[in-house]
Amino acid sequence: MKATAQANTNIALIKYWGKRDESKILPMNSSLSLTLNKFYTTTTVEFCTCLSVDVFIINNQLANEFEMSKVTRFLDRIREMAGKDFHAVVNSTNHVPTAAGFASSASGYAALAAAATKAIGLNLDQKALSQLARLGSGSACRSIYGGFVEWQKGIEDDGTDSFAQPLKGGKDWDLSVLSVLLTSKPKEISSSEGMKRAVETSSLYAHWLDTVEKDLLVAKEAIKNRDFDMLGSVVEANALKMHATTFASQPPFSYWNSATVEVIRGVKNLRSSGIQAYFTIDAGPNVKVLCQPKDEQVVREALIRIPGVQEIYHCQPGPGISYLSNSGKREIANIQSFRNRKVAK
Ligand code: PMV
């Protein structure tokens, strides 16, 4: 009862920002992402009747209580689906540059959904996996697939029509995404908290909802026509609009730091000098810059000089989930020292 899966992170081009149902993680709007090749999570799950609690090991360390209880709740759903009540050892490794601050719950929950369902003997298709991953972290539903991925918000209360799908016509567009690392400190306001505050208090949230589906259509059209400027312009405008809702929330907040603003300026300067580069920013200060492969080096050289920029990682479109063959090693053997520890439920 053991399986290993791998999932890559994704960057939102048109953001998911706001939930219409907090517990089922149903979004207010549809969104669009690009799965990246560089950063991924590998997770092994082993269920065993010999365990009395779940154990979650992340990057070779026992997870803290908060993470442990989130994973246990997620496994509870899978146990219920399978009609089994075994506990599990979950051993997860984030393959991101050391302390890069790009670790993502998206790749984490996509890999966990795939590995845990396979280990317990459920044979879910990708749509069902996407729906399940969504319940761990909204953006995780998009990491089931590679390349450009659309998450349709759905309208049903039970969430059965809220899942991701690969975008038709999105294959094989050779884009570069430069991940600009400014800080690896954990953010003060989580994406969940931030979007909740924006939904409940931001005077700009209604405008966000009025315009985001149009942004999505423009982005899809740009991808279909391989129109890089059209895609970059709408991606950048959509990111700025999402962040504008944070400035207009009560109390106001921002995910940016001063270096974020300098990188935005740097990208705009590059454009003024004729280089097609566009930025986007998720719920944190780090910036992702979209450009064409031929411009990668020029963009890198301009941005790496900006004070506050620690590192730049070059990414390309990446794959969806994959299953890896298990090592002969029992995960249970890893956890002898943790066996009798209580885990927060
Ligand atoms: O999936 P979450 O709960 O981490 O939220 C992700 C929110 C954004 O990254 C800001 C946007 C997105 O679509 O990924």
Side-chain angles (χ1 to χ4, degrees):
M1 302 202 76
K2 174 174 160 181
T4 300
Q6 187 167 303
N8 287 47
T9 60
N10 69 76
I11 170 74
L13 301 176
I14 302 298
K15 312 292 182 193
Y16 141 55
W17 193 238
K19 295 184 182 72
R20 67 184 160 90
D21 184 315
E22 292 277 332
S23 68
K24 298 198 192 87
I25 316 217
L26 297 176
M28 289 287 224
N29 63 275
S30 301
S31 57
L32 177 76
S33 61
L34 182 62
T35 304
L36 299 179
N37 63 343
K38 272 283 163 69
F39 310 139
Y40 59 93
T41 304
T42 307
T43 297
T44 299
V45 178
E46 183 170 9
F47 286 94
C48 182
T49 47
C50 60
L51 293 165
S52 54
V53 291
D54 296 318
V55 179
F56 179 28
I57 300 162
I58 180 144
N59 297 337
N60 281 324
Q61 286 191 324
L62 191 64
N64 64 32
E65 278 204 3
F66 176 75
E67 287 167 345
M68 193 98 86
S69 65
K70 247 194 111 182
V71 164
T72 291
R73 280 201 305 275
F74 192 75
L75 292 176
D76 283 344
R77 292 179 193 276
I78 293 170
R79 283 186 273 262
E80 203 182 309
M81 286 163 85
K84 302 212 168 103
D85 62 0
F86 313 140
H87 288 92
V89 182
V90 175
N91 193 345
S92 225
T93 306
N94 282 325
H95 295 268
V96 294
T98 314
F102 292 125
S104 169
S105 55
S107 55
Y109 276 96
L112 178 59
T117 51
K118 183 148 191 245
I120 211 164
L122 287 168
N123 193 10
L124 300 191
D125 61 15
Q126 289 188 308
K127 175 179 154 187
L129 272 181
S130 175
Q131 282 173 318
L132 177 64
R134 190 197 79 222
L135 295 164
S137 172
S139 55
C141 76
R142 299 184 308 230
S143 273
I144 300 298
Y145 300 99
F148 292 102
V149 180
E150 181 180 1
W151 174 11
Q152 293 150 357
K153 67 179 171 149
I155 49 167
E156 301 295 339
D157 288 343
D158 61 4
T160 46
D161 56 352
S162 186
F163 53 87
Q165 278 182 316
L167 198 68
K168 284 195 194 77
K171 281 218 174 79
D172 310 326
W173 191 7
D174 201 11
L175 294 180
S176 295
V177 177
L178 300 192
S179 287
V180 183
L181 173 68
L182 305 177
T183 174
S184 46
K185 273 206 247 133
K187 53 194 171 225
E188 279 163 26
I189 300 184
S190 68
S191 47
S192 284
E193 264 176 271
M195 62 178 83
K196 188 166 192 292
R197 195 186 298 175
V199 170
E200 287 170 0
T201 70
S202 180
S203 53
L204 294 180
Y205 194 75
H207 176 70
W208 166 262
L209 279 188
D210 282 348
T211 55
V212 63
E213 302 289 339
K214 166 93 188 310
D215 291 351
L216 181 62
L217 288 178
V218 173
K220 283 163 68 174
E221 189 64 18
I223 292 167
K224 198 169 100 198
N225 299 329
R226 300 288 190 270
D227 186 333
F228 185 74
D229 274 333
M230 186 177 172
L231 179 65
S233 306
V234 72
V235 163
E236 203 173 277
N238 184 264
L240 286 171
K241 204 155 42 182
M242 179 204 115
H243 287 273
T245 69
T246 71
F247 293 110
S249 290
Q250 280 308 324
F253 65 104
S254 174
Y255 288 110
W256 300 2
N257 64 25
S258 52
T260 311
V261 178
E262 289 310 317
V263 175
I264 290 176
R265 223 190 286 275
V267 171
K268 293 203 162 173
N269 289 341
L270 277 162
R271 276 217 298 281
S272 308
S273 68
I275 305 291
Q276 295 173 319
Y278 295 89
F279 64 83
T280 186
I281 307 161
D282 276 339
N286 299 320
V287 184
K288 309 276 189 329
V289 179
L290 250 69
C291 65
Q292 298 178 89
K294 66 178 172 59
D295 296 324
E296 236 182 53
Q297 279 316 319
V298 189
V299 175
R300 179 191 178 85
E301 277 157 29
L303 300 182
I304 198 80
R305 285 197 232 113
I306 295 174
V309 171
Q310 293 186 23
E311 189 49 273
I312 297 181
Y313 301 96
H314 292 230
C315 301
Q316 271 84 41
I321 49 158
S322 56
Y323 295 95
L324 309 182
S325 51
N326 287 314
S327 69
K329 190 179 70 167
R330 304 270 332 254
E331 290 304 317
I332 311 297
N334 273 340
I335 55 133
Q336 291 305 333
S337 57
F338 304 130
R339 261 187 92 171
N340 296 321
R341 279 201 199 185
K342 284 268 174 283
V343 187
K345 276 270 179 191

